[in-house]
Amino acid sequence: MSIYKEQNPQEIKKASNIALLSLLNLTFLPGIAFIVLMLRLKQTSKTSFSYYHLLVAIKLNLFAATALILVSILMIFLGGFYSAWTWVFVITYFVLGHSIFITFAVWALIRSWSGNKIKS
Amino acid sequence: MAGHQTLKGKDIMDTLKFKSQIVAKPYFIFALMLFVGQILFGLVMGLQYVVGDFLGGTVPFNVARMVHTNLLIVWLLFGFMGAAYFLVPEEAETELYSPKLAIVLFWVFAAAGTLTILGYLLVPYSTLAEITGNEYFPTMGREFLEQPTITKVGIVIVCLGFLFNIGMTILRGRKTVINMVLITGLIGLAVFFLFSFYNPANIALDKLFWWFVVHLWVEGVWELIMGAILAFILIKITGVDREIIEKWLYVIIAMALISGILGTGHHFFWLATPGYWQWIGSVFSALEPLPFFAMVLYAFNMVNNRRRDHPNKAATLWALGTSVMAFLGAGVWGFLHTLAPVNFYTHGTQITAAHGHMAFYGAYVMIVLTIISYAMPKLRGIGEASSKKAQVVEMWGFWLMTVAMVFITLFLTGAGILQVWLQRLPESGEALSFMQTQDELAIFYWAREFAGVIFMIGLLTYLANFLVDKKEAVKS
């Protein structure tokens, strides 16, 4: 159930914006949205609800970058750029992995809207 | 019919708001029967990819494919009709205009559908065309629209009777956004089917108008039907205010129509159409994931903010599952090959098949199973929800089918990428022929067949949930 009323509306708004930036970094504004997220680190109180979502967003995006970019590069490096099988694995893996990260970012956004942590 | 079907002191009206809703039950049951047939022929065809002469003399590949796709369309139509007969009276707060007409149309549609499938299986397609008089009004021979002309006429008659029944019910009752969106989608479904009667001799023109049926159904008006059914279910299982859900529905259908109508252009890339279609098709179809993305946000948000804990957990799972799988299958896998420069290499490969499988399952199979999951306990007189045990079995069915479909999609995607690499990318005569390429893809086809068997096991598990509460069900 929602615990919407328990959080400060301003904190919910901040957390929602952070979760939205996280989603944007995974979709339309890769890199740019992440820089904005990093800039928020200094502006956000460490004990606040929005800081919790900021940490989730940064961890999620760092993990996504590692899983999607580094692992894909590693697969290409090990499999060879001109191998069909490399691209079979890289494209399939990237599309599925990317979708899973986007779905998780959507869930984080919804939880922030309702003033919840990821696990309540 | 409904009314006073009692067993062990229970009455069907204990669980239904309007007794005429009971007409949805045969539609749902027949839909599930056809679903089993669809998967069975899918397995036959899947095996024929790797064992070419499997049942070759009895069920040739082209026939298995036709039966597989036609059964899908027909059972989804039965599901949509059942959904409408169940939810429209409840939304309109009045009995169905004519339950008798609904039952008559059920038998007409079921008989026409069964005879058509038997025709596909028992006589050569050319003979079927001959005995049904195709020469007088030729409409046969195009994929998904293989039905004899007389069957197509039957579908139109059934649709008109169905729309009349639903329309009259809405007219005399409460007009809600859900009812309006649903009937708009259903009218669109009927109207766009009329293009199946237009069969120009020019093959490019033929394909162009063929897409008016196929694309504007699944990436247009069917999304309205899906949105309306999902909205109805979310209101019921979450208790969230109707106004909030309706606002989301408006946004979703607006996005679906804005992106979907001009998104038809992604089928015009290679049909001898002017070059600007490559831009229009690419831009607007790139927007097509948005309504599905919004559906994920919407479904999860409503369930997260729910005001009641509905006992039907299985229906909630289906509702969430359909939004995610539709986003993946229709949205992400559609986007994967929708831009013209990519589609130049990928069109008509197994990447299309990967997209088609997950999109149809996620968006339309799962939404029909969502409403069946919600409605069946009521239609069977069990109550708000099936027993916990039945729901556990149903949820096993959900996970087996859904995970199997994810793997089917992944294997077909892998096959498609390899196909592009071997058959489409090489230049200067180095490309493999179609059949040589198919041999190279055998490993993926075996893996897909295995995942298909798991899907079938999931479907049978899902169906077994109806047996768990057999004793509690009121006979009707």
Side-chain angles (χ1 to χ4, degrees):
Chain A
M1 295 289 185
S2 169
I3 53 161
Y4 191 89
K5 301 293 176 201
E6 291 176 19
Q7 297 292 348
N8 174 349
Q10 267 190 329
E11 274 302 303
I12 289 174
K13 199 176 175 186
K14 276 186 191 173
S16 303
N17 288 339
I18 285 164
L20 184 63
L21 280 167
S22 164
L23 188 58
L24 283 172
N25 188 54
L26 286 165
T27 51
F28 297 108
L29 296 171
I32 299 168
F34 190 73
I35 292 168
V36 180
L37 273 178
M38 295 305 288
L39 292 175
R40 296 261 172 129
L41 262 177
K42 282 186 180 175
Q43 301 163 355
T44 313
S45 160
K46 288 188 178 178
T47 54
S48 65
F49 172 67
S50 55
Y51 189 76
Y52 165 82
H53 272 279
L54 183 59
L55 283 187
V56 169
I58 290 171
K59 281 179 195 169
L60 174 69
N61 281 280
L62 285 175
F63 187 55
T66 310
L68 296 177
I69 300 169
L70 283 184
V71 173
S72 295
I73 290 171
L74 199 64
M75 285 163 89
I76 294 168
F77 182 72
L78 292 175
F81 191 85
Y82 295 102
S83 161
W85 287 96
T86 301
W87 295 105
V88 165
F89 285 111
V90 169
I91 295 173
T92 312
Y93 162 78
F94 189 92
V95 174
L96 183 69
H98 195 194
S99 308
I100 291 170
F101 284 116
I102 290 173
T103 310
F104 190 81
V106 167
W107 180 238
L109 178 64
I110 286 162
R111 297 295 284 173
S112 69
W113 280 349
S114 56
N116 290 129
K117 293 183 174 181
I118 300 296
K119 283 184 190 173
S120 53
Chain B
M1 285 300 299
H4 305 289
Q5 299 131 7
T6 57
L7 186 74
K8 295 177 186 172
K10 283 203 290 186
D11 191 302
I12 200 85
M13 285 310 296
D14 292 342
T15 55
L16 288 177
K17 276 192 178 174
F18 297 93
K19 67 178 179 183
S20 55
Q21 287 176 293
I22 195 76
V23 300
K25 193 175 172 185
Y27 282 86
F28 288 149
I29 292 171
F30 197 64
L32 291 175
M33 286 163 63
L34 297 183
F35 187 18
V36 174
Q38 186 216 339
I39 303 310
L40 208 58
F41 280 92
L43 288 175
V44 168
M45 189 177 25
L47 198 53
Q48 286 175 339
Y49 266 90
V50 276
V51 184
D53 56 359
F54 176 70
L55 291 181
T58 323
V59 188
F61 178 85
N62 64 311
V63 172
R65 185 181 191 275
M66 192 161 59
V67 175
H68 179 65
T69 55
N70 279 228
L71 279 176
L72 167 71
I73 293 167
V74 173
W75 88 256
L76 288 178
L77 291 180
F78 269 101
F80 290 160
M81 288 180 182
Y85 286 132
F86 182 82
L87 76 82
V88 166
E90 213 163 305
E91 282 291 295
E93 292 183 335
T94 180
E95 292 289 357
L96 191 66
Y97 180 75
S98 173
K100 276 184 187 165
L101 177 62
I103 292 297
V104 169
L105 291 176
F106 166 78
W107 286 109
V108 171
F109 197 20
T114 308
L115 286 174
T116 303
I117 298 296
L118 288 176
Y120 292 158
L121 290 169
L122 299 177
V123 294
Y125 190 66
S126 56
T127 311
L128 185 64
E130 203 180 314
I131 58 179
T132 55
N134 187 60
E135 61 188 303
Y136 302 110
F137 193 162
T139 65
M140 293 173 74
R142 294 168 296 168
E143 57 179 344
F144 309 135
L145 304 179
E146 293 96 344
Q147 310 86 35
T149 306
I150 193 164
T151 305
K152 290 194 180 86
V153 172
I155 292 173
V156 170
I157 292 169
V158 169
C159 282
L160 286 176
F162 164 71
L163 287 173
F164 170 75
N165 209 355
I166 293 295
M168 291 303 287
T169 310
I170 295 173
L171 276 177
R172 73 176 186 185
R174 183 174 65 145
K175 283 91 183 160
T176 66
V177 175
I178 290 175
N179 267 347
M180 290 302 153
V181 171
L182 181 70
I183 196 145
T184 307
L186 293 168
I187 290 171
L189 184 155
V191 168
F192 289 117
F193 184 67
L194 295 179
F195 284 101
S196 70
F197 289 94
Y198 182 53
N199 191 12
N202 180 311
I203 198 163
L205 267 183
D206 170 32
K207 271 287 181 189
L208 193 128
F209 286 103
W210 179 81
W211 284 115
F212 277 34
V213 185
V214 178
H215 174 94
L216 290 174
W217 265 16
V218 299
E219 292 169 68
V221 292
W222 283 26
E223 285 182 42
L224 270 58
I225 298 170
M226 182 198 176
I229 298 174
L230 187 59
F232 173 79
I233 294 292
L234 288 175
I235 287 175
K236 298 294 172 185
I237 60 178
T238 65
V240 171
D241 286 346
R242 175 178 287 274
E243 289 73 21
I244 296 171
I245 287 184
E246 286 177 346
K247 277 176 195 164
W248 275 92
L249 184 57
Y250 276 131
V251 173
I252 286 168
I253 62 161
M255 285 197 287
L257 293 178
I258 289 167
S259 61
I261 292 173
L262 280 172
T264 318
H266 65 212
H267 300 293
F268 297 167
F269 291 161
W270 327 116
L271 280 183
T273 46
Y276 56 75
W277 277 110
Q278 294 188 17
W279 280 99
I280 296 172
S282 295
V283 170
F284 282 90
S285 61
L287 299 174
E288 281 190 53
L290 290 179
F292 292 104
F293 179 75
M295 271 192 226
V296 180
L297 268 176
Y298 156 68
F300 277 79
N301 194 27
M302 295 308 128
V303 172
N304 189 47
N305 290 317
R306 64 192 180 276
R307 290 178 176 178
R308 60 181 294 211
D309 266 325
H310 197 280
N312 196 337
K313 306 289 179 206
T316 312
L317 182 65
W318 281 112
L320 293 175
T322 190
S323 67
V324 172
M325 291 297 285
F327 168 61
L328 289 179
V332 177
W333 257 261
F335 181 73
L336 178 65
H337 64 142
T338 204
L339 301 177
V342 176
N343 194 265
F344 179 74
Y345 294 101
T346 60
H347 72 280
T349 65
Q350 292 298 332
I351 292 176
T352 312
H355 161 59
H357 276 80
M358 201 192 245
F360 261 107
Y361 176 72
Y364 302 121
V365 170
M366 290 180 86
I367 194 64
V368 170
L369 295 182
T370 304
I371 185 91
I372 290 178
S373 178
Y374 176 78
M376 265 307 199
K378 292 166 181 278
L379 292 168
R380 297 172 75 207
I382 293 167
E384 281 286 297
S386 304
S387 66
K388 273 192 177 173
K389 193 178 169 190
Q391 287 193 55
V392 168
V393 175
E394 186 179 348
M395 287 194 262
W396 266 98
F398 169 94
W399 285 112
L400 282 168
M401 281 193 280
T402 304
V403 171
M405 184 50 75
V406 169
F407 277 98
I408 287 172
T409 306
L410 292 178
F411 294 138
L412 288 175
T413 306
I417 295 164
L418 190 56
Q419 186 180 6
V420 170
W421 185 278
L422 298 173
Q423 192 189 322
R424 297 279 171 85
L425 278 179
E427 293 175 359
S428 321
E430 293 154 0
L432 294 188
S433 70
F434 176 79
M435 289 311 289
Q436 282 174 315
T437 308
Q438 294 301 307
D439 279 344
E440 299 295 324
L441 307 182
I443 179 101
F444 290 106
Y445 293 146
W446 276 115
R448 185 266 301 267
E449 183 70 359
F450 177 72
V453 171
I454 304 294
F455 189 96
M456 184 54 134
I457 293 169
L459 175 56
L460 296 175
T461 309
Y462 166 79
L463 294 174
N465 98 79
F466 295 111
L467 302 176
V468 177
D469 291 338
K470 206 177 169 185
K471 285 182 183 171
E472 285 73 26
V474 177
K475 276 190 179 158
S476 57

